[in-house]
Structures are given as C-alpha cells and as structure tokens.
Amino acid sequence: GNSVTQMEGPVTLSEEAFLTINCTYTATGYPSLFWYVQYPGEGLQLLLKATKADDKGSNKGFEATYRKETTSFHLEKGSVQVSDSAVYFCALSETGGSYIPTFGRGTSLIVHP
Amino acid sequence: GAGVSQTPSNKVTEKGKYVELRCDPISGHTALYWYRQSLGQGPEFLIYFQGTGAADDSGLPNDRFFAVRPEGSVSTLKIQRTERGDSAVYLCASSSSDPRGELFFGPGTRLTVL
C-alpha cells in the first residue's frame, strides 16, 4: 500500500536559518505529491504540490522537488521566519487509483527569533 | 463563509454514548473526505464521498462508525457506543471534481470520550 515517511520533529531553528524537512514515499503507481501546513489553531492547508517526476512545487519561499529515483519530496526554505512555525505534512495521492491522499505523521517546526 | 466548517468544535462524551459530527463543505465541491488525527500523528483516512455516495469507506475502523451525505453537501459522521480510543480530532475536507486537486480542510472536531 501507499505510505509516507517524514523526519521526526520537532525541528528547532533560528530565524533566517535554512530548512529541510525530509519526506520519502512508497507507492505502487505514479503519485502526485503534496506538502500541507497546519498553523497553530488552524486547519491544514495546501502549501505546494508536484504532479510528476522532476516537477518542483513552490510557494511562500518553500520548495520541494519530486524525485522519482529516490522516492523523495523534501521540503526546503532558504531563510525561515518565526511565522513559519507550524506542523508540516507530506502527502501523496495515487493517480489511476482512488486518489485519496495518504499523509505522513507531520513534522513540527519551531522558529526562534 | 467560504471555507469548510465543522460542528461542534469540541465534543466531550461518556463511554458508550452516541455522537454525531457535522461537516459543511465548500459549496460546489463534490468530493468530501473524513479523516481522524490522533495526537502526534498525521490524518488517517476514514471515508470518501463523491456526491451522495460513499465511494470508499475502507478506512472506517469498525461498524460503530458510519457517515452519510444525503444531499451531496453536508455530511454527518456518526459514532455509536463510543470508546476511549475514539478520542481524536476528526477532520473533514472537500475538493472539486479534479481528483489530483487540493483538499480544503475544516478546523476539525475534537472528540473526547471519558
């Protein structure tokens, strides 16, 4: 079956530091890949997505590249801000199947001023 | 409002009781999903509706859980004979007909079974 594995959190950084949150996946077909973010007290919202191999999703300074050869979709940001503190969820949706997204367990990011 | 809404935001009940959780999706969204999120975990799929019908209910943990969407809009998740292990945040999400599209999540209902 499909699965998503994320690095354990929390990730604690100082403002303006470089961020990487690792995500790897297992899928039987050719999934679309997503990063969702959950800010404190809010619901999950889509941050970025990529629908095919080598695509790069980007939004709000965050980027992730769909790497089929390593089955990865790592999230990166060059300079984090305090306002980026949130829980980040990697997810996949299998094309040609039910499309129901499968989520990772989430990685908490804490950014200190 | 334009977003997905869920009521109640918090529900405390006693073991063995029956509860209903409501989801109001974004108008026009044909797909509706229920997920369950336990502390420190990601959303766990429960059931998916396309229109009025449950297209996939493979995530429902047992027959105490049931969900309906009679008019293809509002959905209700029903839990019978609640157990302490049912305590979690229940998330609802909706999306347009494009199956690769974005899910729009509600704020969730926090269920506590004492």
Side-chain angles (χ1 to χ4, degrees), chain B residues 7-69:
Chain B
T7 54
S9 55
N10 278 283
K11 176 70 177 179
V12 180
T13 191
E14 294 179 342
K15 181 175 177 298
K17 299 290 189 182
Y18 168 82
V19 297
E20 289 190 351
L21 311 179
R22 175 189 167 111
C23 172
D24 214 324
I26 291 173
S27 177
H29 278 187
T30 57
L32 185 145
Y33 306 77
W34 283 99
Y35 284 82
R36 177 168 70 174
Q37 187 177 19
S38 300
L39 192 63
Q41 302 296 315
E44 173 192 6
F45 169 71
L46 295 176
I47 186 169
Y48 158 59
F49 287 90
Q50 186 60 251
T52 60
D56 189 328
D57 65 356
S58 62
L60 295 177
N62 51 60
D63 61 6
R64 295 186 298 105
F65 288 74
F66 189 70
V68 295
R69 195 186 185 198

Side-chain angles (χ1 to χ4, degrees), chain A residues 32 34 36 38 42-46 49 51 89 93 95 98-106, chain B residues 33 35 37 40-45 48 56 58 91 98-107:
Chain A
S32 294
F34 306 83
Y36 282 80
Q38 187 172 28
E42 299 184 16
L44 277 81
Q45 56 187 275
L46 181 67
K49 70 178 183 181
T51 58
F89 295 90
S93 175
T95 56
S98 66
Y99 301 105
I100 296 167
T102 299
F103 287 83
R105 64 184 300 160
Chain B
Y33 306 77
Y35 284 82
Q37 187 177 19
Q41 302 296 315
E44 173 192 6
F45 169 71
Y48 158 59
D56 189 328
S58 62
L91 301 174
D98 181 354
R100 295 164 298 176
E102 173 182 358
L103 262 61
F104 293 84
F105 280 85

